[in-house]
Amino acid sequence: MAERNVYQVADWNGQSGERWVAYQVRLDAMMAVFGLTAIEAAAPAPGERVLDVGCGAGASSLDLAARVGAGGQVLGVDISEPLIGRARALAPQDTPVLFQVADASSTELPEGAFDILFSRFGVMFFDDPTGAFAHMRRALKPGGRVAFVCWRGMAENDWVRLPMGAIKGILPPMAPPDPEVPGPFSFGDRGRVARILTAAGFTDIAIAPFDASIPFGEGGTRDSAIDDAVKMTLEVGPLSRALADQPDDIRARASAAVRAAFADRPGERSIIIDGAAWIVTARNPAS
């Protein structure tokens, strides 16, 4: 396993994983419309078997399980022990879903066992995405389907654009992320996604833009919803990393600037922001 991926595993089994568990309800609400749209693209049928990659706290796995029914099976895998623990706790008894702490890019998977390879924002972090998809493709039946949702560019997604824009002049400018480096926006280039899937052996690749207004933070009043959105931004995501080693006065200035940015957005019990993603589908060749 590459050094960067080791760091990610450690991070998701430490502070990042614990914070995502703490904000699980709000984060799942934020991503729900994207996940459900990708599930519609996957079109799971009763009795099918699904591999859910980067399943987090299991919301997408449970939605998939409801589609495949008692005769089907969903295997949700994630590198984060805290998130898999949360997924197991949330799964009702007798639901046809299993959760496993594993890196889907390298863990042993049963060959030709799944009808669908699915992911809700879980496939952008592989050190070797082509190798990862080639490995996962072997777990699909001939003719099996792929459907996943991934973020488009940072500039199109308010959950990063707003806070990072707000801190200009408070923190030194940050270099834009290398599009080839694993991260939430590493699949923002449609052409790169197509090249990865083609090189991994998939066919019938389709990549469609999907935009949605999404709730960010929550509260009983608008002010408390804004406060929650700011707190979540300071603890989860790129801004939390940018501020990790900053003194209290810088953190206070950044917090005030981010609050002002969110206050310009509509919403009462949640702040409504814009999100932009790709819905990607492909197929494992039939032979």
Side-chain angles (χ1 to χ4, degrees):
M1 187 179 296
E3 183 178 350
R4 185 184 301 117
N5 213 28
V6 170
Y7 167 74
Q8 288 181 346
V9 170
D11 196 35
W12 283 106
N13 283 297
Q15 192 173 71
S16 287
E18 291 164 0
R19 285 177 173 173
W20 273 72
V21 168
Y23 287 104
Q24 172 256 317
V25 173
R26 273 93 98 201
L27 291 167
D28 278 338
M30 172 185 166
M31 294 186 282
V33 65
F34 297 98
L36 291 174
T37 302
I39 288 174
E40 291 296 331
E48 289 194 311
R49 295 171 59 87
V50 185
L51 176 63
D52 185 6
V53 176
C55 67
S60 54
S61 299
L62 295 177
D63 288 337
L64 289 160
R67 305 293 184 100
V68 302
Q73 182 71 55
V74 178
L75 174 61
V77 298
D78 199 285
I79 62 173
S80 173
E81 290 188 11
L83 284 167
I84 289 293
R86 180 68 169 166
R88 289 169 175 159
L90 291 174
Q93 286 188 342
D94 301 323
T95 301
V97 61
L98 297 172
F99 292 107
Q100 179 180 345
V101 178
D103 181 345
S105 70
S106 59
T107 195
E108 185 175 348
L109 296 166
E111 187 168 345
F114 297 97
D115 300 282
I116 299 172
L117 170 64
F118 179 86
S119 183
R120 188 191 75 175
F121 300 118
V123 293
M124 304 93 71
F125 303 95
F126 299 126
D127 288 329
D128 175 12
T130 299
F133 274 98
H135 173 75
M136 294 185 293
R137 186 174 69 83
R138 290 190 285 272
L140 277 175
K141 295 177 180 178
R145 299 157 355 248
V146 176
F148 64 83
V149 57
C150 57
W151 297 117
R152 294 206 314 264
M154 182 185 299
E156 299 177 88
N157 281 282
D158 282 350
W159 60 275
V160 174
R161 183 184 68 84
L162 288 176
M164 299 309 285
I167 63 167
K168 288 181 178 178
I170 299 174
L171 289 177
M174 297 178 64
D178 184 334
E180 299 288 323
V181 171
F185 301 106
S186 68
F187 277 21
D189 181 343
R190 186 200 313 234
R192 181 175 188 243
V193 177
R195 290 191 296 273
I196 288 168
L197 293 177
T198 299
F202 291 99
T203 60
D204 300 333
I205 299 164
I207 305 172
F210 178 74
D211 299 271
S213 296
I214 52 181
F216 196 75
E218 67 175 14
T221 65
R222 176 169 170 81
D223 279 347
S224 61
I226 295 172
D227 289 341
D228 189 62
V230 172
K231 186 172 185 290
M232 189 161 65
T233 301
L234 295 176
E235 294 190 1
V236 178
L239 183 57
S240 67
R241 295 178 176 88
L243 292 173
D245 299 319
Q246 296 297 324
D248 288 345
D249 62 321
I250 295 295
R251 293 180 63 85
R253 289 175 60 197
S255 177
V258 171
R259 194 181 198 286
F262 281 129
D264 283 340
R265 297 295 303 177
E268 293 301 324
R269 296 180 183 273
S270 287
I271 305 308
I272 306 302
I273 61 175
D274 296 329
W278 299 119
I279 303 294
V280 182
T281 56
R283 190 172 292 273
N284 188 24
S287 61

